[in-house]
Structure formats: structure tokens, C-alpha cells
mmCIF file with all atom_site columns, all heavy atoms in Angstrom:
data_model
loop_
_atom_site.group_PDB
_atom_site.id
_atom_site.type_symbol
_atom_site.label_atom_id
_atom_site.label_alt_id
_atom_site.label_comp_id
_atom_site.label_asym_id
_atom_site.label_entity_id
_atom_site.label_seq_id
_atom_site.pdbx_PDB_ins_code
_atom_site.Cartn_x
_atom_site.Cartn_y
_atom_site.Cartn_z
_atom_site.occupancy
_atom_site.B_iso_or_equiv
_atom_site.pdbx_formal_charge
_atom_site.auth_seq_id
_atom_site.auth_comp_id
_atom_site.auth_asym_id
_atom_site.auth_atom_id
_atom_site.pdbx_PDB_model_num
ATOM 1   N N   . SER G 1 1  ? -203.902 83.217 -140.064 1.00 0.00 ? 13 SER G N   1
ATOM 2   C CA  . SER G 1 1  ? -202.544 83.461 -139.545 1.00 0.00 ? 13 SER G CA  1
ATOM 3   C C   . SER G 1 1  ? -201.803 82.132 -139.414 1.00 0.00 ? 13 SER G C   1
ATOM 4   O O   . SER G 1 1  ? -200.521 82.203 -139.608 1.00 0.00 ? 13 SER G O   1
ATOM 5   C CB  . SER G 1 1  ? -202.587 84.176 -138.250 1.00 0.00 ? 13 SER G CB  1
ATOM 6   O OG  . SER G 1 1  ? -203.279 83.558 -137.209 1.00 0.00 ? 13 SER G OG  1
ATOM 7   N N   . GLN G 1 2  ? -202.470 81.119 -139.058 1.00 0.00 ? 14 GLN G N   1
ATOM 8   C CA  . GLN G 1 2  ? -201.831 79.744 -138.918 1.00 0.00 ? 14 GLN G CA  1
ATOM 9   C C   . GLN G 1 2  ? -201.431 79.349 -140.306 1.00 0.00 ? 14 GLN G C   1
ATOM 10  O O   . GLN G 1 2  ? -200.260 78.742 -140.407 1.00 0.00 ? 14 GLN G O   1
ATOM 11  C CB  . GLN G 1 2  ? -202.861 78.798 -138.243 1.00 0.00 ? 14 GLN G CB  1
ATOM 12  C CG  . GLN G 1 2  ? -202.115 77.342 -137.991 1.00 0.00 ? 14 GLN G CG  1
ATOM 13  C CD  . GLN G 1 2  ? -203.028 76.514 -137.379 1.00 0.00 ? 14 GLN G CD  1
ATOM 14  O OE1 . GLN G 1 2  ? -204.233 76.654 -137.061 1.00 0.00 ? 14 GLN G OE1 1
ATOM 15  N NE2 . GLN G 1 2  ? -202.576 75.360 -136.898 1.00 0.00 ? 14 GLN G NE2 1
ATOM 16  N N   . SER G 1 3  ? -202.343 79.420 -141.265 1.00 0.00 ? 15 SER G N   1
ATOM 17  C CA  . SER G 1 3  ? -201.996 79.031 -142.685 1.00 0.00 ? 15 SER G CA  1
ATOM 18  C C   . SER G 1 3  ? -200.629 79.731 -143.142 1.00 0.00 ? 15 SER G C   1
ATOM 19  O O   . SER G 1 3  ? -199.715 79.096 -143.693 1.00 0.00 ? 15 SER G O   1
ATOM 20  C CB  . SER G 1 3  ? -203.140 79.280 -143.586 1.00 0.00 ? 15 SER G CB  1
ATOM 21  O OG  . SER G 1 3  ? -202.828 79.092 -144.903 1.00 0.00 ? 15 SER G OG  1
ATOM 22  N N   . LYS G 1 4  ? -200.605 81.127 -142.845 1.00 0.00 ? 16 LYS G N   1
ATOM 23  C CA  . LYS G 1 4  ? -199.459 81.824 -143.413 1.00 0.00 ? 16 LYS G CA  1
ATOM 24  C C   . LYS G 1 4  ? -198.144 81.400 -142.664 1.00 0.00 ? 16 LYS G C   1
ATOM 25  O O   . LYS G 1 4  ? -197.173 81.229 -143.323 1.00 0.00 ? 16 LYS G O   1
ATOM 26  C CB  . LYS G 1 4  ? -199.763 83.326 -143.204 1.00 0.00 ? 16 LYS G CB  1
ATOM 27  C CG  . LYS G 1 4  ? -200.692 83.888 -144.194 1.00 0.00 ? 16 LYS G CG  1
ATOM 28  C CD  . LYS G 1 4  ? -200.125 84.190 -145.586 1.00 0.00 ? 16 LYS G CD  1
ATOM 29  C CE  . LYS G 1 4  ? -201.156 84.737 -146.531 1.00 0.00 ? 16 LYS G CE  1
ATOM 30  N NZ  . LYS G 1 4  ? -201.456 86.105 -146.210 1.00 0.00 ? 16 LYS G NZ  1
ATOM 31  N N   . ILE G 1 5  ? -198.336 81.264 -141.381 1.00 0.00 ? 17 ILE G N   1
ATOM 32  C CA  . ILE G 1 5  ? -197.052 80.970 -140.604 1.00 0.00 ? 17 ILE G CA  1
ATOM 33  C C   . ILE G 1 5  ? -196.447 79.557 -140.867 1.00 0.00 ? 17 ILE G C   1
ATOM 34  O O   . ILE G 1 5  ? -195.259 79.343 -140.899 1.00 0.00 ? 17 ILE G O   1
ATOM 35  C CB  . ILE G 1 5  ? -197.212 81.202 -139.120 1.00 0.00 ? 17 ILE G CB  1
ATOM 36  C CG1 . ILE G 1 5  ? -195.833 81.343 -138.527 1.00 0.00 ? 17 ILE G CG1 1
ATOM 37  C CG2 . ILE G 1 5  ? -197.893 80.061 -138.530 1.00 0.00 ? 17 ILE G CG2 1
ATOM 38  C CD1 . ILE G 1 5  ? -194.936 82.449 -138.934 1.00 0.00 ? 17 ILE G CD1 1
ATOM 39  N N   . ILE G 1 6  ? -197.347 78.663 -141.127 1.00 0.00 ? 18 ILE G N   1
ATOM 40  C CA  . ILE G 1 6  ? -196.929 77.245 -141.652 1.00 0.00 ? 18 ILE G CA  1
ATOM 41  C C   . ILE G 1 6  ? -196.072 77.443 -142.924 1.00 0.00 ? 18 ILE G C   1
ATOM 42  O O   . ILE G 1 6  ? -194.921 76.898 -143.035 1.00 0.00 ? 18 ILE G O   1
ATOM 43  C CB  . ILE G 1 6  ? -198.088 76.398 -141.836 1.00 0.00 ? 18 ILE G CB  1
ATOM 44  C CG1 . ILE G 1 6  ? -198.648 75.967 -140.535 1.00 0.00 ? 18 ILE G CG1 1
ATOM 45  C CG2 . ILE G 1 6  ? -197.573 75.076 -142.590 1.00 0.00 ? 18 ILE G CG2 1
ATOM 46  C CD1 . ILE G 1 6  ? -199.995 75.150 -140.686 1.00 0.00 ? 18 ILE G CD1 1
ATOM 47  N N   . ARG G 1 7  ? -196.643 78.173 -143.985 1.00 0.00 ? 19 ARG G N   1
ATOM 48  C CA  . ARG G 1 7  ? -195.898 78.266 -145.164 1.00 0.00 ? 19 ARG G CA  1
ATOM 49  C C   . ARG G 1 7  ? -194.611 79.058 -145.040 1.00 0.00 ? 19 ARG G C   1
ATOM 50  O O   . ARG G 1 7  ? -193.649 78.819 -145.781 1.00 0.00 ? 19 ARG G O   1
ATOM 51  C CB  . ARG G 1 7  ? -196.781 78.782 -146.234 1.00 0.00 ? 19 ARG G CB  1
ATOM 52  C CG  . ARG G 1 7  ? -197.835 77.770 -146.763 1.00 0.00 ? 19 ARG G CG  1
ATOM 53  C CD  . ARG G 1 7  ? -198.837 78.333 -147.594 1.00 0.00 ? 19 ARG G CD  1
ATOM 54  N NE  . ARG G 1 7  ? -199.797 79.191 -146.913 1.00 0.00 ? 19 ARG G NE  1
ATOM 55  C CZ  . ARG G 1 7  ? -200.519 80.193 -147.623 1.00 0.00 ? 19 ARG G CZ  1
ATOM 56  N NH1 . ARG G 1 7  ? -200.351 80.356 -148.873 1.00 0.00 ? 19 ARG G NH1 1
ATOM 57  N NH2 . ARG G 1 7  ? -201.353 80.993 -146.903 1.00 0.00 ? 19 ARG G NH2 1
ATOM 58  N N   . ILE G 1 8  ? -194.788 80.148 -144.130 1.00 0.00 ? 20 ILE G N   1
ATOM 59  C CA  . ILE G 1 8  ? -193.559 80.983 -144.070 1.00 0.00 ? 20 ILE G CA  1
ATOM 60  C C   . ILE G 1 8  ? -192.462 80.257 -143.350 1.00 0.00 ? 20 ILE G C   1
ATOM 61  O O   . ILE G 1 8  ? -191.239 80.389 -143.757 1.00 0.00 ? 20 ILE G O   1
ATOM 62  C CB  . ILE G 1 8  ? -193.954 82.283 -143.257 1.00 0.00 ? 20 ILE G CB  1
ATOM 63  C CG1 . ILE G 1 8  ? -194.811 83.213 -144.074 1.00 0.00 ? 20 ILE G CG1 1
ATOM 64  C CG2 . ILE G 1 8  ? -192.783 83.017 -142.682 1.00 0.00 ? 20 ILE G CG2 1
ATOM 65  C CD1 . ILE G 1 8  ? -195.431 84.423 -143.312 1.00 0.00 ? 20 ILE G CD1 1
ATOM 66  N N   . SER G 1 9  ? -192.841 79.474 -142.377 1.00 0.00 ? 21 SER G N   1
ATOM 67  C CA  . SER G 1 9  ? -191.806 78.685 -141.597 1.00 0.00 ? 21 SER G CA  1
ATOM 68  C C   . SER G 1 9  ? -191.167 77.799 -142.519 1.00 0.00 ? 21 SER G C   1
ATOM 69  O O   . SER G 1 9  ? -189.956 77.553 -142.253 1.00 0.00 ? 21 SER G O   1
ATOM 70  C CB  . SER G 1 9  ? -192.436 78.059 -140.437 1.00 0.00 ? 21 SER G CB  1
ATOM 71  O OG  . SER G 1 9  ? -193.040 78.915 -139.542 1.00 0.00 ? 21 SER G OG  1
ATOM 72  N N   . LEU G 1 10 ? -191.814 77.023 -143.267 1.00 0.00 ? 22 LEU G N   1
ATOM 73  C CA  . LEU G 1 10 ? -191.166 76.069 -144.231 1.00 0.00 ? 22 LEU G CA  1
ATOM 74  C C   . LEU G 1 10 ? -190.247 76.771 -145.181 1.00 0.00 ? 22 LEU G C   1
ATOM 75  O O   . LEU G 1 10 ? -189.169 76.178 -145.713 1.00 0.00 ? 22 LEU G O   1
ATOM 76  C CB  . LEU G 1 10 ? -192.299 75.358 -145.038 1.00 0.00 ? 22 LEU G CB  1
ATOM 77  C CG  . LEU G 1 10 ? -193.145 74.359 -144.276 1.00 0.00 ? 22 LEU G CG  1
ATOM 78  C CD1 . LEU G 1 10 ? -194.389 73.945 -144.952 1.00 0.00 ? 22 LEU G CD1 1
ATOM 79  C CD2 . LEU G 1 10 ? -192.310 73.105 -143.987 1.00 0.00 ? 22 LEU G CD2 1
ATOM 80  N N   . LEU G 1 11 ? -190.376 77.993 -145.525 1.00 0.00 ? 23 LEU G N   1
ATOM 81  C CA  . LEU G 1 11 ? -189.525 78.709 -146.439 1.00 0.00 ? 23 LEU G CA  1
ATOM 82  C C   . LEU G 1 11 ? -188.491 79.610 -145.657 1.00 0.00 ? 23 LEU G C   1
ATOM 83  O O   . LEU G 1 11 ? -187.748 80.216 -146.397 1.00 0.00 ? 23 LEU G O   1
ATOM 84  C CB  . LEU G 1 11 ? -190.322 79.627 -147.472 1.00 0.00 ? 23 LEU G CB  1
ATOM 85  C CG  . LEU G 1 11 ? -191.243 78.839 -148.396 1.00 0.00 ? 23 LEU G CG  1
ATOM 86  C CD1 . LEU G 1 11 ? -192.308 79.768 -148.947 1.00 0.00 ? 23 LEU G CD1 1
ATOM 87  C CD2 . LEU G 1 11 ? -190.425 78.031 -149.349 1.00 0.00 ? 23 LEU G CD2 1
ATOM 88  N N   . THR G 1 12 ? -188.528 79.586 -144.340 1.00 0.00 ? 24 THR G N   1
ATOM 89  C CA  . THR G 1 12 ? -187.571 80.311 -143.616 1.00 0.00 ? 24 THR G CA  1
ATOM 90  C C   . THR G 1 12 ? -186.249 79.578 -143.568 1.00 0.00 ? 24 THR G C   1
ATOM 91  O O   . THR G 1 12 ? -186.234 78.336 -143.069 1.00 0.00 ? 24 THR G O   1
ATOM 92  C CB  . THR G 1 12 ? -188.030 80.568 -142.174 1.00 0.00 ? 24 THR G CB  1
ATOM 93  O OG1 . THR G 1 12 ? -189.244 81.312 -142.223 1.00 0.00 ? 24 THR G OG1 1
ATOM 94  C CG2 . THR G 1 12 ? -186.940 81.249 -141.334 1.00 0.00 ? 24 THR G CG2 1
ATOM 95  N N   . PRO G 1 13 ? -185.127 80.115 -144.078 1.00 0.00 ? 25 PRO G N   1
ATOM 96  C CA  . PRO G 1 13 ? -183.871 79.331 -144.054 1.00 0.00 ? 25 PRO G CA  1
ATOM 97  C C   . PRO G 1 13 ? -183.446 78.708 -142.730 1.00 0.00 ? 25 PRO G C   1
ATOM 98  O O   . PRO G 1 13 ? -183.117 77.496 -142.711 1.00 0.00 ? 25 PRO G O   1
ATOM 99  C CB  . PRO G 1 13 ? -182.857 80.419 -144.497 1.00 0.00 ? 25 PRO G CB  1
ATOM 100 C CG  . PRO G 1 13 ? -183.609 81.378 -145.313 1.00 0.00 ? 25 PRO G CG  1
ATOM 101 C CD  . PRO G 1 13 ? -184.906 81.408 -144.505 1.00 0.00 ? 25 PRO G CD  1
ATOM 102 N N   . GLN G 1 14 ? -183.417 79.481 -141.735 1.00 0.00 ? 26 GLN G N   1
ATOM 103 C CA  . GLN G 1 14 ? -183.124 78.958 -140.334 1.00 0.00 ? 26 GLN G CA  1
ATOM 104 C C   . GLN G 1 14 ? -184.308 79.282 -139.450 1.00 0.00 ? 26 GLN G C   1
ATOM 105 O O   . GLN G 1 14 ? -184.519 80.452 -139.026 1.00 0.00 ? 26 GLN G O   1
ATOM 106 C CB  . GLN G 1 14 ? -181.863 79.695 -139.779 1.00 0.00 ? 26 GLN G CB  1
ATOM 107 C CG  . GLN G 1 14 ? -180.522 79.225 -140.609 1.00 0.00 ? 26 GLN G CG  1
ATOM 108 C CD  . GLN G 1 14 ? -179.269 79.818 -139.759 1.00 0.00 ? 26 GLN G CD  1
ATOM 109 O OE1 . GLN G 1 14 ? -179.214 79.469 -138.651 1.00 0.00 ? 26 GLN G OE1 1
ATOM 110 N NE2 . GLN G 1 14 ? -178.494 80.365 -140.501 1.00 0.00 ? 26 GLN G NE2 1
ATOM 111 N N   . LEU G 1 15 ? -185.122 78.258 -139.132 1.00 0.00 ? 27 LEU G N   1
ATOM 112 C CA  . LEU G 1 15 ? -186.278 78.410 -138.322 1.00 0.00 ? 27 LEU G CA  1
ATOM 113 C C   . LEU G 1 15 ? -185.895 78.210 -136.790 1.00 0.00 ? 27 LEU G C   1
ATOM 114 O O   . LEU G 1 15 ? -185.293 77.307 -136.434 1.00 0.00 ? 27 LEU G O   1
ATOM 115 C CB  . LEU G 1 15 ? -187.345 77.360 -138.743 1.00 0.00 ? 27 LEU G CB  1
ATOM 116 C CG  . LEU G 1 15 ? -188.670 77.456 -137.950 1.00 0.00 ? 27 LEU G CG  1
ATOM 117 C CD1 . LEU G 1 15 ? -189.416 78.843 -138.200 1.00 0.00 ? 27 LEU G CD1 1
ATOM 118 C CD2 . LEU G 1 15 ? -189.613 76.368 -138.410 1.00 0.00 ? 27 LEU G CD2 1
ATOM 119 N N   . GLY G 1 16 ? -186.296 79.269 -136.066 1.00 0.00 ? 28 GLY G N   1
ATOM 120 C CA  . GLY G 1 16 ? -186.000 79.265 -134.588 1.00 0.00 ? 28 GLY G CA  1
ATOM 121 C C   . GLY G 1 16 ? -187.111 78.654 -133.701 1.00 0.00 ? 28 GLY G C   1
ATOM 122 O O   . GLY G 1 16 ? -187.858 77.763 -134.293 1.00 0.00 ? 28 GLY G O   1
ATOM 123 N N   . GLU G 1 17 ? -187.152 79.082 -132.575 1.00 0.00 ? 29 GLU G N   1
ATOM 124 C CA  . GLU G 1 17 ? -188.110 78.437 -131.656 1.00 0.00 ? 29 GLU G CA  1
ATOM 125 C C   . GLU G 1 17 ? -189.443 79.283 -131.617 1.00 0.00 ? 29 GLU G C   1
ATOM 126 O O   . GLU G 1 17 ? -189.519 80.455 -132.161 1.00 0.00 ? 29 GLU G O   1
ATOM 127 C CB  . GLU G 1 17 ? -187.612 78.467 -130.285 1.00 0.00 ? 29 GLU G CB  1
ATOM 128 C CG  . GLU G 1 17 ? -186.302 77.610 -130.021 1.00 0.00 ? 29 GLU G CG  1
ATOM 129 C CD  . GLU G 1 17 ? -186.533 76.185 -130.401 1.00 0.00 ? 29 GLU G CD  1
ATOM 130 O OE1 . GLU G 1 17 ? -187.675 75.606 -130.013 1.00 0.00 ? 29 GLU G OE1 1
ATOM 131 O OE2 . GLU G 1 17 ? -185.639 75.526 -130.973 1.00 0.00 ? 29 GLU G OE2 1
ATOM 132 N N   . GLY G 1 18 ? -190.464 78.734 -130.996 1.00 0.00 ? 30 GLY G N   1
ATOM 133 C CA  . GLY G 1 18 ? -191.710 79.477 -130.856 1.00 0.00 ? 30 GLY G CA  1
ATOM 134 C C   . GLY G 1 18 ? -191.634 80.289 -129.574 1.00 0.00 ? 30 GLY G C   1
ATOM 135 O O   . GLY G 1 18 ? -191.255 79.730 -128.585 1.00 0.00 ? 30 GLY G O   1
ATOM 136 N N   . LEU G 1 19 ? -192.162 81.540 -129.610 1.00 0.00 ? 31 LEU G N   1
ATOM 137 C CA  . LEU G 1 19 ? -192.207 82.361 -128.403 1.00 0.00 ? 31 LEU G CA  1
ATOM 138 C C   . LEU G 1 19 ? -193.691 82.595 -127.867 1.00 0.00 ? 31 LEU G C   1
ATOM 139 O O   . LEU G 1 19 ? -194.563 82.696 -128.793 1.00 0.00 ? 31 LEU G O   1
ATOM 140 C CB  . LEU G 1 19 ? -191.570 83.734 -128.752 1.00 0.00 ? 31 LEU G CB  1
ATOM 141 C CG  . LEU G 1 19 ? -190.177 83.841 -129.347 1.00 0.00 ? 31 LEU G CG  1
ATOM 142 C CD1 . LEU G 1 19 ? -189.890 85.198 -129.736 1.00 0.00 ? 31 LEU G CD1 1
ATOM 143 C CD2 . LEU G 1 19 ? -189.057 83.202 -128.383 1.00 0.00 ? 31 LEU G CD2 1
ATOM 144 N N   . GLU G 1 20 ? -193.850 82.345 -126.694 1.00 0.00 ? 32 GLU G N   1
ATOM 145 C CA  . GLU G 1 20 ? -195.134 82.628 -126.045 1.00 0.00 ? 32 GLU G CA  1
ATOM 146 C C   . GLU G 1 20 ? -195.594 84.071 -126.209 1.00 0.00 ? 32 GLU G C   1
ATOM 147 O O   . GLU G 1 20 ? -196.752 84.341 -126.458 1.00 0.00 ? 32 GLU G O   1
ATOM 148 C CB  . GLU G 1 20 ? -195.148 82.416 -124.519 1.00 0.00 ? 32 GLU G CB  1
ATOM 149 C CG  . GLU G 1 20 ? -194.897 80.837 -124.308 1.00 0.00 ? 32 GLU G CG  1
ATOM 150 C CD  . GLU G 1 20 ? -195.873 79.926 -124.992 1.00 0.00 ? 32 GLU G CD  1
ATOM 151 O OE1 . GLU G 1 20 ? -197.041 80.369 -124.996 1.00 0.00 ? 32 GLU G OE1 1
ATOM 152 O OE2 . GLU G 1 20 ? -195.487 78.796 -125.320 1.00 0.00 ? 32 GLU G OE2 1
ATOM 153 N N   . SER G 1 21 ? -194.697 85.031 -126.233 1.00 0.00 ? 33 SER G N   1
ATOM 154 C CA  . SER G 1 21 ? -195.024 86.293 -126.494 1.00 0.00 ? 33 SER G CA  1
ATOM 155 C C   . SER G 1 21 ? -193.694 87.029 -127.135 1.00 0.00 ? 33 SER G C   1
ATOM 156 O O   . SER G 1 21 ? -192.572 86.573 -126.943 1.00 0.00 ? 33 SER G O   1
ATOM 157 C CB  . SER G 1 21 ? -195.513 87.224 -125.303 1.00 0.00 ? 33 SER G CB  1
ATOM 158 O OG  . SER G 1 21 ? -194.395 87.515 -124.406 1.00 0.00 ? 33 SER G OG  1
ATOM 159 N N   . ILE G 1 22 ? -193.963 88.258 -127.825 1.00 0.00 ? 34 ILE G N   1
ATOM 160 C CA  . ILE G 1 22 ? -192.690 88.884 -128.414 1.00 0.00 ? 34 ILE G CA  1
ATOM 161 C C   . ILE G 1 22 ? -191.789 89.443 -127.340 1.00 0.00 ? 34 ILE G C   1
ATOM 162 O O   . ILE G 1 22 ? -190.561 89.714 -127.716 1.00 0.00 ? 34 ILE G O   1
ATOM 163 C CB  . ILE G 1 22 ? -193.228 90.037 -129.332 1.00 0.00 ? 34 ILE G CB  1
ATOM 164 C CG1 . ILE G 1 22 ? -192.142 90.447 -130.400 1.00 0.00 ? 34 ILE G CG1 1
ATOM 165 C CG2 . ILE G 1 22 ? -193.714 91.241 -128.497 1.00 0.00 ? 34 ILE G CG2 1
ATOM 166 C CD1 . ILE G 1 22 ? -191.766 89.177 -131.258 1.00 0.00 ? 34 ILE G CD1 1
ATOM 167 N N   . ASP G 1 23 ? -192.212 89.652 -126.057 1.00 0.00 ? 35 ASP G N   1
ATOM 168 C CA  . ASP G 1 23 ? -191.366 90.104 -125.119 1.00 0.00 ? 35 ASP G CA  1
ATOM 169 C C   . ASP G 1 23 ? -190.201 89.170 -124.850 1.00 0.00 ? 35 ASP G C   1
ATOM 170 O O   . ASP G 1 23 ? -189.159 89.586 -124.247 1.00 0.00 ? 35 ASP G O   1
ATOM 171 C CB  . ASP G 1 23 ? -192.111 90.276 -123.732 1.00 0.00 ? 35 ASP G CB  1
ATOM 172 C CG  . ASP G 1 23 ? -193.201 91.384 -123.942 1.00 0.00 ? 35 ASP G CG  1
ATOM 173 O OD1 . ASP G 1 23 ? -192.926 92.284 -124.749 1.00 0.00 ? 35 ASP G OD1 1
ATOM 174 O OD2 . ASP G 1 23 ? -194.223 91.434 -123.318 1.00 0.00 ? 35 ASP G OD2 1
ATOM 175 N N   . GLN G 1 24 ? -190.285 87.792 -125.281 1.00 0.00 ? 36 GLN G N   1
ATOM 176 C CA  . GLN G 1 24 ? -189.201 86.927 -124.971 1.00 0.00 ? 36 GLN G CA  1
ATOM 177 C C   . GLN G 1 24 ? -188.082 87.030 -125.890 1.00 0.00 ? 36 GLN G C   1
ATOM 178 O O   . GLN G 1 24 ? -187.088 86.374 -125.747 1.00 0.00 ? 36 GLN G O   1
ATOM 179 C CB  . GLN G 1 24 ? -189.772 85.498 -124.995 1.00 0.00 ? 36 GLN G CB  1
ATOM 180 C CG  . GLN G 1 24 ? -190.833 85.156 -123.929 1.00 0.00 ? 36 GLN G CG  1
ATOM 181 C CD  . GLN G 1 24 ? -191.364 83.752 -124.034 1.00 0.00 ? 36 GLN G CD  1
ATOM 182 O OE1 . GLN G 1 24 ? -191.754 83.288 -125.124 1.00 0.00 ? 36 GLN G OE1 1
ATOM 183 N NE2 . GLN G 1 24 ? -191.378 83.030 -122.955 1.00 0.00 ? 36 GLN G NE2 1
ATOM 184 N N   . LEU G 1 25 ? -188.248 87.892 -126.962 1.00 0.00 ? 37 LEU G N   1
ATOM 185 C CA  . LEU G 1 25 ? -187.179 87.971 -127.914 1.00 0.00 ? 37 LEU G CA  1
ATOM 186 C C   . LEU G 1 25 ? -186.004 88.732 -127.429 1.00 0.00 ? 37 LEU G C   1
ATOM 187 O O   . LEU G 1 25 ? -186.189 89.764 -126.676 1.00 0.00 ? 37 LEU G O   1
ATOM 188 C CB  . LEU G 1 25 ? -187.697 88.830 -129.205 1.00 0.00 ? 37 LEU G CB  1
ATOM 189 C CG  . LEU G 1 25 ? -186.907 88.735 -130.441 1.00 0.00 ? 37 LEU G CG  1
ATOM 190 C CD1 . LEU G 1 25 ? -186.874 87.291 -130.936 1.00 0.00 ? 37 LEU G CD1 1
ATOM 191 C CD2 . LEU G 1 25 ? -187.520 89.651 -131.546 1.00 0.00 ? 37 LEU G CD2 1
ATOM 192 N N   . LYS G 1 26 ? -184.830 88.263 -127.648 1.00 0.00 ? 38 LYS G N   1
ATOM 193 C CA  . LYS G 1 26 ? -183.647 88.821 -127.144 1.00 0.00 ? 38 LYS G CA  1
ATOM 194 C C   . LYS G 1 26 ? -183.046 89.835 -128.157 1.00 0.00 ? 38 LYS G C   1
ATOM 195 O O   . LYS G 1 26 ? -183.392 89.853 -129.269 1.00 0.00 ? 38 LYS G O   1
ATOM 196 C CB  . LYS G 1 26 ? -182.644 87.783 -126.716 1.00 0.00 ? 38 LYS G CB  1
ATOM 197 C CG  . LYS G 1 26 ? -183.079 86.812 -125.696 1.00 0.00 ? 38 LYS G CG  1
ATOM 198 C CD  . LYS G 1 26 ? -182.072 85.728 -125.421 1.00 0.00 ? 38 LYS G CD  1
ATOM 199 C CE  . LYS G 1 26 ? -182.640 84.731 -124.461 1.00 0.00 ? 38 LYS G CE  1
ATOM 200 N NZ  . LYS G 1 26 ? -181.607 83.617 -124.238 1.00 0.00 ? 38 LYS G NZ  1
ATOM 201 N N   . LYS G 1 27 ? -182.044 90.691 -127.672 1.00 0.00 ? 39 LYS G N   1
ATOM 202 C CA  . LYS G 1 27 ? -181.473 91.772 -128.423 1.00 0.00 ? 39 LYS G CA  1
ATOM 203 C C   . LYS G 1 27 ? -180.853 91.128 -129.666 1.00 0.00 ? 39 LYS G C   1
ATOM 204 O O   . LYS G 1 27 ? -180.129 90.133 -129.587 1.00 0.00 ? 39 LYS G O   1
ATOM 205 C CB  . LYS G 1 27 ? -180.472 92.433 -127.607 1.00 0.00 ? 39 LYS G CB  1
ATOM 206 C CG  . LYS G 1 27 ? -179.871 93.699 -128.193 1.00 0.00 ? 39 LYS G CG  1
ATOM 207 C CD  . LYS G 1 27 ? -178.986 94.539 -127.353 1.00 0.00 ? 39 LYS G CD  1
ATOM 208 C CE  . LYS G 1 27 ? -178.423 95.736 -128.090 1.00 0.00 ? 39 LYS G CE  1
ATOM 209 N NZ  . LYS G 1 27 ? -177.460 96.523 -127.271 1.00 0.00 ? 39 LYS G NZ  1
#
């Protein structure tokens, strides 16, 4: 999962912040 998210993050046009849990995601 770490390997995938590193490569996905590099190819994400606008990379946001890291969340401690998905509950922190806003509407």
C-alpha cells in the first residue's frame, strides 16, 4: 500500500494533505 500511494501521489495533479483517518475528510 505504501508503494502504491507513493506512485499515485506523484501522479496526482493536485496532492492534498495526509489524513489520520477518513473521518477527517470534509464535504
